[in-house]
Amino acid sequence: MLACRGLTKHYATDRGPVTAVRGVDLDIGSGDYAAIVGRSGSGKSSLMSMIGGLSRPSAGTVRIAGTDLWGLSEAKAAAFRSTHVGFVFQFASLLPNLRALDNVALPARLAGTMSRRASEERAAQLLADMGLDSHAEAFPFELSSGEQRRVAIARALMNEPGLLLADEPTSDLDEQTEREVMALLRDINRARGTTLVLVTHNLTLAAEAGRIIHIADGAVVA
Ligand code: ADP
Ligand code: MG
């Protein structure tokens, strides 16, 4: 499902170049659940951004379901990303002026893949799957942070991606809410067969993954 080769990221900074990711090779199979762990600053988010198509690698390749992501034109990459990859960020990142249902339906609207009616029905179903049926009409500010995160997960699933990327999706939540959101992600992996790559610093929760990938100083160490 996911194959990275020689993935490298340099940033130009005032203090000179910083190498955040150094030649990462990574293979993750379809339907797998892999947790990425490592200290703050070890390059996890830089790696995830390149895998998710958000930040261009300085060197190396990312293949998702056989497609060379960074070999595509910008327009093709955007279309591929929106239908194959779901991304859940550390902070909820919902659009504040859209109701939960419209936030969830947005990726389908942007991709133009479904009628308005069909996208609303799917969004409502996803919200129900996340236990949020009664909150479909709520605006983000009317939801708790755990509920907002579940809306963001539903949104990430809107276009039925084969690959779900989550970068510390629970680090700002209390322990109980963190466990609930992590259980939800694990259930999505199991029930839908969605390949899940999750960055976390919670080693207890990482232990639930099928595989743990340790990153230190931009490289895979185990
Ligand atoms: P992590 O997610 O593991 O905390 P990051 O990928 O965010 O690590 O950062 C890895 C390294 O790259 C750090 O030294 C960080 O300061 C640097 N870095 C990250 N993003 C940028 C950027 N946009 N510009 C310059 N340096 C960056
Ligand atoms: Mg990070």
Side-chain angles (χ1 to χ4, degrees), residues 71-88:
L72 298 173
S73 68
E74 221 162 279
K76 284 206 170 126
F80 180 84
R81 214 168 53 219
S82 92
T83 51
H84 289 76
V85 186
F87 214 123
V88 185

Side-chain angles (χ1 to χ4, degrees), residues 204-217:
T204 312
L205 293 172
E208 293 182 8
R211 179 174 161 205
I212 300 185
I213 297 157
H214 295 267
I215 305 276
D217 198 17

Side-chain angles (χ1 to χ4, degrees), residues 11-13 15 18 20 38-47 167-168:
Y11 295 107
T13 74
R15 297 149 288 127
V18 170
R39 292 187 49 177
S40 177
S42 58
K44 305 180 299 296
S45 293
S46 300
L47 177 62
D167 188 356
E168 306 211 43

Side-chain angles (χ1 to χ4, degrees), residues 5 12 30 51 60 75 91 95 104-105 111 120 129 132-133 139 143 189:
R5 291 290 174 273
S30 188
I51 294 171
F91 300 103
L95 294 181
V104 174
E120 280 180 359
D129 294 347
L132 291 171
D133 7 1
F139 287 100
L143 300 170
N189 164 252

Side-chain angles (χ1 to χ4, degrees), residues 26 28 43-44 67 70 91 95 99 111 114 119 128 133 147 172 174 179 182 185 196-197 201 205:
L26 194 57
I28 293 173
K44 305 180 299 296
T67 295
W70 289 104
F91 300 103
L95 294 181
R99 295 173 192 276
M114 274 185 213
S119 69
D133 7 1
E147 288 164 348
D172 58 324
D174 63 81
R179 274 198 295 276
M182 294 286 272
L185 289 168
L196 174 59
V197 183
H201 52 230
L205 293 172

